[in-house]
Amino acid sequence: MNVLVINCGSSSLKYQLINMQNEEVLGKGLVERIGIEGSKLTHEAAGKKIVIEDPMKDHKDALKHVLSALVDKDHGAVADMSEISAVGHRVVHGGEKFASSVLITPEVMDAIKDCSDLAPLHNPANIMGIDACKEILPNVPHVAVFDTAFHQTMPKSSYLYGLPYELYEKHGIRKYGFHGTSHKYVSDRAASILGKDIKDLKIITCHLGNGASITAVEYGKSVDTSMGLTPLEGSIMGTRCGDIDPAIVKFIMDKENLNAAQVDSLLNKQSGILGMSCISSDFRDVENAANEGNELAQVALEAFAKRVKKYIGSYMAEMGGVDAVVFTAGLGENSISMREDICEGLEGLGIVIDKEKNNVRGKETVVSTDDSKVKIIVIPTNEELVIARDTAALAK
Ligand code: ADP
């Protein structure tokens, strides 16, 4: 059984075709600039990497290019479309309606549309992707896998804000959390690596990429997470501010003469590491600048590390201890210095990083010292595989 995994953004489409017998990736790629000038498909399969530049006016158009690349005689992954047995779609926001993945029916589509208010940038793009895919592949099961689902186990005391309860009842204002497939995957992997049952473990998973979130996984369930109603809360991120005093919103509006949408954009797109360092949202650029002595870059990275450290400490307090801390995603998997900075000073809490073992990028490795009470583990995430596994299970 081969599962096609689709992850649609407003102008992009990422895909992987996975053989579920051996979980091998048969083909993968990315379409960029859908609906804008310069549409481009980068496709990898059969040991080849090709780039196709061709106008793609919408997601359906993009998907047609993807499918024809996947069945191409020269650089394809399968002989024909009949070898695609099911499609798994990443959907960002499932609200409170979805605590697990589901087969997509007309009712499910309506429910996903109902969640669009909560994720106006993401869900409409996911819906476009599903619609396009169902049109082109009408005879295979389609499954929705939600970023929020893993966090639906949070207790009310974690997900309610200190706001009038009525706002939760009327508008669903609460913490939802994101990156759920990643937190689930790496916490499961951590249990396997430690050779223990996840039901016996308290794990803190740090997904540190352009977007960043930290989750307390107690006995296999998410009990708290740093992102909130939207992905803006929590850690400082590439371009998002993370936790701030909510009074700052009105203050900026008054002082800078901005409207609500403009402040929202400032907090989501011009803040975080980019805003603080005045250099870039890419941690590599900021790390380089910091190494050359740039003070704002140094402070931005210190603030980032301190924020993650504070979340680790608070989740240890919340769970009454921790057995493993996991680092994943672009920065978590690759930045040796950031992992070191985050763990520095946590020795008294039983978290001791081994600088030699930590000299690793993008590879599953325990990087704590042998006598560290808490294991520190680097685990490359694999959200596509979680989507494919859920899809295969539901399609059967
Ligand atoms: P997303 O999926 O949220 O876009 P990723 O998980 O791909 O993000 O992470 C991207 C980020 O990871 C980049 O902004 C980059 O700063 C960081 N990153 C990737 N490789 C390295 C590296 N070798 N050193 C430091 N940071 C890195």
Side-chain angles (χ1 to χ4, degrees):
M1 177 186 214
N2 300 326
V3 172
L4 179 61
V5 175
I6 298 283
N7 179 357
C8 278
S10 54
S11 65
S12 70
L13 187 163
K14 284 189 217 157
Y15 63 94
Q16 278 193 10
L17 185 66
I18 301 178
N19 173 346
M20 296 316 290
Q21 266 78 44
N22 53 10
E23 300 192 330
E24 186 196 342
V25 177
L26 301 172
K28 64 178 181 179
L30 163 71
V31 187
E32 296 162 280
R33 304 182 64 85
I34 298 171
I36 37 187
E37 203 182 319
S39 305
K40 177 171 114 176
L41 162 65
T42 310
H43 169 86
E44 281 177 66
K48 291 179 185 156
K49 183 169 178 173
I50 57 143
V51 176
I52 296 169
E53 289 181 51
D54 200 20
M56 297 178 222
K57 65 178 190 309
D58 53 24
H59 285 74
K60 193 173 160 193
D61 223 5
L63 206 67
K64 281 184 186 159
H65 281 79
V66 168
L67 289 168
S68 76
L70 281 170
V71 300
D72 190 88
K73 292 262 173 313
D74 173 57
H75 51 258
V78 286
D80 62 69
M81 304 249 272
S82 70
E83 289 185 44
I84 299 173
S85 329
V87 186
H89 299 267
R90 177 196 182 205
V91 179
V92 168
H93 218 307
E96 287 187 329
K97 294 194 167 91
F98 300 104
S100 57
S101 305
V102 285
L103 267 177
I104 299 176
T105 61
E107 294 74 34
V108 167
M109 283 307 275
D110 288 343
I112 296 173
K113 281 174 194 153
D114 287 345
C115 297
S116 285
D117 259 5
L118 294 168
L121 296 177
H122 294 105
N123 272 30
N126 302 152
I127 291 165
M128 272 193 296
I130 297 172
D131 282 339
C133 233
K134 287 191 85 164
E135 248 184 271
I136 300 179
L137 295 165
N139 299 321
V140 300
H142 291 255
V143 168
V145 180
F146 301 91
D147 261 41
T148 47
F150 181 59
H151 302 297
Q152 279 296 302
T153 47
M154 280 190 289
K156 223 166 186 166
S157 53
S158 292
Y159 72 67
L160 281 186
Y161 291 114
L163 290 168
Y165 189 68
E166 193 190 335
L167 292 176
Y168 164 62
E169 290 183 306
K170 269 168 61 184
H171 307 298
I173 297 177
R174 52 158 283 180
K175 182 184 275 287
Y176 291 96
F178 299 86
H179 295 140
T181 46
S182 176
H183 290 293
K184 180 177 162 37
Y185 175 79
V186 298
S187 53
D188 284 343
R189 280 302 306 151
S192 298
I193 292 166
L194 297 176
K196 298 214 167 122
D197 190 332
I198 195 158
K199 293 200 174 74
D200 297 325
L201 290 171
K202 296 172 180 176
I203 304 172
I204 297 171
T205 48
C206 306
H207 177 110
L208 311 178
N210 238 324
S213 68
I214 300 109
T215 297
V217 184
E218 190 172 34
Y219 311 137
K221 288 182 178 164
S222 167
V223 291
D224 210 343
T225 191
S226 60
M227 282 180 169
L229 173 79
T230 75
L232 186 56
E233 192 183 343
S235 174
I236 293 171
M237 310 182 207
T239 63
R240 299 188 195 121
C241 61
D243 300 331
I244 57 167
D245 178 348
I248 292 171
V249 172
K250 178 172 183 303
F251 200 82
I252 299 177
M253 289 171 81
D254 293 344
K255 293 284 179 196
E256 294 279 313
N257 201 18
L258 299 179
N259 64 29
Q262 289 166 322
V263 178
D264 189 59
S265 162
L266 183 145
L267 300 180
N268 272 292
K269 297 188 181 145
Q270 297 157 42
S271 299
I273 291 295
L274 168 68
M276 290 180 80
S277 69
C278 307
I279 291 170
S280 164
S281 65
D282 193 302
F283 285 85
R284 284 163 288 203
D285 300 339
V286 182
E287 281 181 0
N288 288 339
N291 291 337
E292 284 162 14
N294 183 301
E295 196 199 339
L296 286 182
Q298 289 166 356
V299 172
L301 294 175
E302 278 167 30
F304 181 93
K306 188 180 285 190
R307 181 74 58 88
V308 177
K309 194 195 298 272
K310 281 160 76 170
Y311 268 103
I312 292 174
S314 68
Y315 289 161
M316 280 179 82
E318 200 173 328
M319 293 193 287
V322 66
D323 299 298
V325 173
V326 177
F327 289 105
T328 192
L331 185 69
E333 289 165 27
N334 295 302
S335 177
I336 294 160
S337 58
M338 183 53 77
R339 289 194 300 260
E340 216 176 282
D341 291 349
I342 291 169
C343 294
E344 191 192 327
L346 297 179
E347 296 82 3
L349 299 177
I351 302 175
V352 190
I353 199 160
D354 182 319
K355 290 190 180 175
E356 244 166 65
K357 290 184 191 156
N358 186 45
N359 195 5
V360 66
R361 294 182 204 273
K363 202 170 133 230
E364 269 188 10
T365 318
V366 175
V367 299
S368 43
T369 59
D370 291 341
D371 56 0
S372 177
K373 201 167 143 270
V374 178
K375 299 293 169 222
I376 310 168
I377 318 177
V378 174
I379 304 179
T381 195
N382 196 340
E383 292 164 283
E384 289 79 12
L385 186 58
V386 176
I387 296 174
R389 283 178 182 165
D390 277 14
T391 302
L394 283 164
K396 273 178 194 155

